[in-house]
Amino acid sequence: MIINNTIVYVISDSLGETAEFVARAAVSQFKCGTTEFRRIPYVTTEDHLLEIIEEVSRFPNTIIAYTLVVESLKKLLEQESAKRNIATVDVLGPMMKVISEVTGHQPHGEPGLVHKMDDDYFRKIEAIEFAVKYDDGKDPRGIMHADIVLIGVSRTSKTPLCMYLAHKRIKATNIPLVPEVSPPEELFKLPHGKIIGLKIRPNMLNEIRTERLKTMGLMSSADYASIERILNELDYAEELMKKLGCPVLDVSNRAIEETASKILKIMYRGDQFEK
């Protein structure tokens, strides 16, 4: 039972959040005295560990809760703590032992793997939120913070591509090109390679827009889907893309995944124009 004025040292070779969470959950089941938690993250050397154990030994009623995955550090902690009659709790050890027995595999012994996955997850969420916030030119300020900016006329898959790229942890935004609307000035301030133009065959765009109008309950003969209007928009977009000097991808008959793959090649390998 935890008694008055107990100190729980949380030692980890990463952040130590897991061990502290478990320790606090356990302490919450007792109504006796106060408990102080002292978390010490990123303990990766024997010298550092010995300094901590020496510090712990100077206080009565102490417990060490730890998440150390390097075997040599675990053994040192247990041995030195036993010499000083310090109680220890290996938070990850029992679970890792069972997993090893069931799977027949040994643990990696690499600190911080959980947080590497967490960081990856949060980067993905951040990219998705970015794509939603700056979709369809809602806020041109996003252009300057994007990893990639997609430009093209309406219905060239700009939004789906941005969302797909977001799941690859890429902050993507898109700007619709309309002859009657001047493009954002921010486009002309971006370094070469950050903008990618999207084009499509006129007849295909006509079919896509006609179907779009039908789903909206509008007449398919509207100017939005007319060949004349489409040709005008595509000519305008082509001229602007030439002015910007950006790579151009043809999205006609291409799946989102295929186009996204080509965008990634442009970003990371410097591929240029693809007709």
Side-chain angles (χ1 to χ4, degrees):
M1 182 177 69
I2 296 179
I3 58 178
N4 292 345
N5 304 318
T6 301
I7 301 175
V8 178
Y9 275 80
V10 177
I11 301 175
S12 176
D13 44 25
S14 186
L15 289 176
E17 292 173 327
T18 302
E20 183 174 352
F21 180 82
V22 172
R24 287 183 180 275
V27 168
S28 69
Q29 298 298 313
F30 298 83
K31 297 180 180 179
C32 44
T34 59
T35 303
E36 178 186 352
F37 292 86
R38 298 180 182 179
R39 178 163 27 129
I40 307 176
Y42 303 116
V43 180
T44 57
T45 66
E46 293 187 358
D47 289 342
H48 189 190
L49 183 58
L50 289 172
E51 289 176 5
I52 298 167
I53 295 172
E54 189 60 34
E55 176 185 328
V56 174
S57 67
R58 295 199 293 266
F59 299 96
N61 307 327
T62 55
I63 298 171
I64 293 177
Y66 67 90
T67 50
L68 298 173
V69 297
V70 178
E71 195 62 32
S72 60
L73 292 179
K74 289 172 61 175
K75 289 181 179 179
L76 179 63
L77 174 60
E78 292 290 351
Q79 291 171 358
E80 296 301 319
S81 296
K83 292 178 183 178
R84 297 166 175 79
N85 294 316
I86 301 171
T88 62
V89 180
D90 183 357
V91 176
L92 290 180
M95 186 67 184
M96 290 173 63
K97 181 175 183 294
V98 172
I99 293 174
S100 181
E101 291 173 350
V102 171
T103 64
H105 295 285
Q106 294 300 311
H108 294 295
E110 181 181 346
L113 289 179
V114 170
H115 292 285
K116 286 181 182 177
M117 291 187 288
D118 287 348
D119 289 344
D120 184 71
Y121 170 78
F122 286 119
R123 282 198 300 271
K124 181 188 296 185
I125 295 301
E126 184 180 3
I128 292 172
E129 290 176 346
F130 183 91
V132 172
K133 182 177 181 179
Y134 296 110
D135 180 45
D136 210 26
K138 292 176 185 174
D139 186 345
R141 291 175 299 180
I143 293 173
M144 305 306 296
H145 303 289
D147 297 319
I148 198 75
V149 178
L150 305 181
I151 61 174
V153 301
S154 173
R155 315 312 295 177
T156 48
S157 303
K158 298 185 300 297
T159 296
L161 280 167
C162 284
M163 294 305 298
Y164 185 91
L165 292 169
H167 282 82
K168 301 292 184 181
R169 302 170 300 285
I170 294 171
K171 292 181 180 178
T173 186
N174 64 88
I175 304 295
L177 301 182
V178 184
E180 296 79 12
V181 180
S182 298
E185 294 181 4
E186 288 84 353
L187 275 180
F188 299 94
K189 299 177 182 178
L190 291 178
H192 182 73
K194 261 204 169 185
I195 305 173
I196 295 179
L198 304 177
K199 69 177 184 178
I200 187 171
R201 291 201 297 269
N203 61 327
M204 179 166 291
L205 185 56
N206 170 255
E207 294 176 7
I208 294 172
R209 288 189 175 183
T210 299
E211 287 301 316
R212 174 62 173 166
L213 290 173
K214 288 180 181 179
T215 60
M216 296 173 65
L218 301 174
M219 295 182 62
S220 58
S221 59
D223 185 53
Y224 173 72
S226 71
I227 285 293
E228 292 76 17
R229 172 65 186 183
I230 288 172
L231 290 173
N232 183 33
E233 288 187 27
L234 291 175
D235 287 343
Y236 167 75
E238 183 179 0
E239 286 301 314
L240 180 60
M241 292 172 192
K242 287 180 179 178
K243 187 175 181 180
L244 291 168
C246 63
V248 180
L249 296 176
D250 191 338
V251 300
S252 305
N253 291 322
R254 278 212 173 112
I256 297 297
E257 296 83 356
E258 185 181 357
T259 304
S261 176
K262 292 185 177 296
I263 290 172
L264 293 173
K265 287 180 181 179
I266 292 172
M267 287 184 63
Y268 296 125
R269 293 194 343 200
D271 292 359
Q272 291 299 309
F273 295 89
E274 184 278 329
K275 301 298 183 181

